[in-house]
Amino acid sequence: MASRRCLQTLTKTTPFLFRNLSSLRSLTIPPFHLAKASSPVFTKPTSVFAQWPHLRYFSSDKQDDHSDEEDYSEEEDYEDDDDDDDVPVSSRKKVYTAEEKEAEADAIGYRVVGPLPKDDDVFKPYEPVFAVVQIGSHQFKVSNRDSIFTERLKFCEVNDKLILNKVLLLGSANQTIIGRPIVPDAAVHAVVEEHALDAKVIIFKKKRRKNYRRTKGHRQELTKLRITDIQGIEKPQVVLTEKPSKPAKKEQEKVAASA
């Protein structure tokens, strides 16, 4: 106990002695034994490390070194976080290859052909043919020159030509073709007119007697498609019937009245 008290007083008065391990090892203290009266009290000098089996640091410099290292590591982590924040959001998005784009678009039910040229006149006169197509999880009955709103389609821009592959049914005045579940060799051509947002929907949640009320709005992203052509079925020819002129009707009425 006396030797320990001496070490404590030394650490309080002269901490610079224990900054290095070499100076600590050089310090020697006499052992404390229950010796006889005839034997001397101090027999052989021993080192400090012989008294204690575990290494102990009596100065606060070692703890300060640890704290400095921790602060440095925290600063590095903070700098790494800043570097991550500097990365633009667009680079964090998943980058699709051409094959992945085609596979995902085909799973939804369409294929992107390319941009519509200015000289290309894809809009044809009305034809008495209709089709039922599936885009994603929705089904639409369409005819030539119809416009439909679907959920936002990926990998396509305004004025891009699309081919809708999932045709479930084709019909006309003469015949009807039902797919099992898809009609083979059938396709519906369309053009992307715009990407828009649907009307806002208010989601309101309340729990009575709990002081719980939450209001949230949502606007669904939509894509407007214009149907240009339907292929895979025989199209009947449109027969234009001439309407009689109005003067001819009046002359027939006069002849009937005179008779």
Side-chain angles (χ1 to χ4, degrees):
M1 292 298 292
S3 61
R4 187 172 297 179
R5 289 175 184 173
C6 292
L7 285 173
Q8 290 178 358
T9 55
L10 285 172
T11 54
K12 291 179 181 179
T13 56
T14 57
F16 59 88
L17 294 175
F18 301 97
R19 289 183 180 178
N20 297 324
L21 294 176
S22 59
S23 63
L24 187 61
R25 289 193 180 94
S26 62
L27 180 64
T28 57
I29 60 172
F32 183 76
H33 296 288
L34 295 175
K36 297 180 180 179
S38 61
S39 63
V41 178
F42 300 99
T43 58
K44 185 180 180 181
T46 57
S47 64
V48 177
F49 294 93
Q51 296 290 328
W52 297 286
H54 300 290
L55 179 63
R56 297 184 181 182
Y57 299 98
F58 297 98
S59 65
S60 60
D61 294 341
K62 197 68 179 177
Q63 296 178 359
D64 296 338
D65 295 339
H66 282 293
S67 63
D68 293 337
E69 291 177 0
E70 291 176 359
D71 295 337
Y72 183 72
S73 63
E74 290 177 0
E75 289 177 1
E76 288 182 350
D77 295 337
Y78 184 74
E79 290 176 359
D80 295 337
D81 294 337
D82 291 340
D83 295 337
D84 295 337
D85 295 338
D86 294 338
V87 177
V89 179
S90 59
S91 63
R92 297 179 185 177
K93 294 182 180 179
K94 183 180 178 181
V95 179
Y96 293 89
T97 61
E99 297 178 354
E100 291 177 350
K101 289 181 180 180
E102 291 180 1
E104 189 164 351
D106 188 59
I108 296 173
Y110 69 95
R111 180 167 60 87
V112 181
V113 178
L116 178 67
K118 295 182 179 179
D119 300 335
D120 191 1
D121 187 11
V122 296
F123 299 100
K124 299 179 180 179
Y126 174 76
E127 296 172 347
V129 176
F130 70 92
V132 177
V133 295
Q134 181 175 352
I135 303 174
S137 59
H138 302 279
Q139 297 179 4
F140 304 90
K141 179 184 177 182
V142 296
S143 297
N144 192 16
R145 290 193 171 186
D146 286 351
S147 63
I148 57 175
F149 285 92
T150 67
E151 293 184 359
R152 176 66 182 263
L153 300 180
K154 298 180 179 179
F155 320 124
C156 64
E157 301 297 335
V158 178
N159 290 332
D160 282 355
K161 292 191 293 185
L162 305 181
I163 295 178
L164 307 180
N165 300 323
K166 293 184 179 181
V167 182
L168 306 179
L169 185 142
L170 292 172
S172 65
N174 300 330
Q175 61 177 339
T176 302
I177 303 175
I178 302 174
R180 298 182 180 179
I182 298 173
V183 179
D185 301 331
V188 176
H189 294 258
V191 176
V192 179
E193 286 196 347
E194 64 174 335
H195 295 297
L197 294 175
D198 198 2
K200 180 179 283 188
V201 179
I202 303 298
I203 300 99
F204 179 73
K205 299 180 181 180
K206 178 184 177 182
K207 296 180 182 179
R208 61 176 186 173
R209 297 192 297 272
K210 302 297 182 183
N211 195 19
Y212 178 86
R213 294 179 183 178
R214 299 291 184 271
T215 303
K216 189 177 180 181
H218 173 71
R219 297 190 69 182
Q220 179 66 38
E221 294 183 351
L222 301 176
T223 299
K224 184 180 180 181
L225 301 179
R226 179 72 63 176
I227 307 301
T228 58
D229 191 14
I230 298 175
Q231 296 179 355
I233 190 172
E234 296 181 0
K235 300 174 183 178
Q237 297 180 356
V238 179
V239 179
L240 299 175
T241 58
E242 296 181 357
K243 296 182 179 180
S245 60
K246 292 182 179 180
K249 287 184 178 180
K250 290 182 179 179
E251 289 178 359
Q252 291 178 0
E253 290 177 357
K254 289 180 180 179
V255 171
S258 61

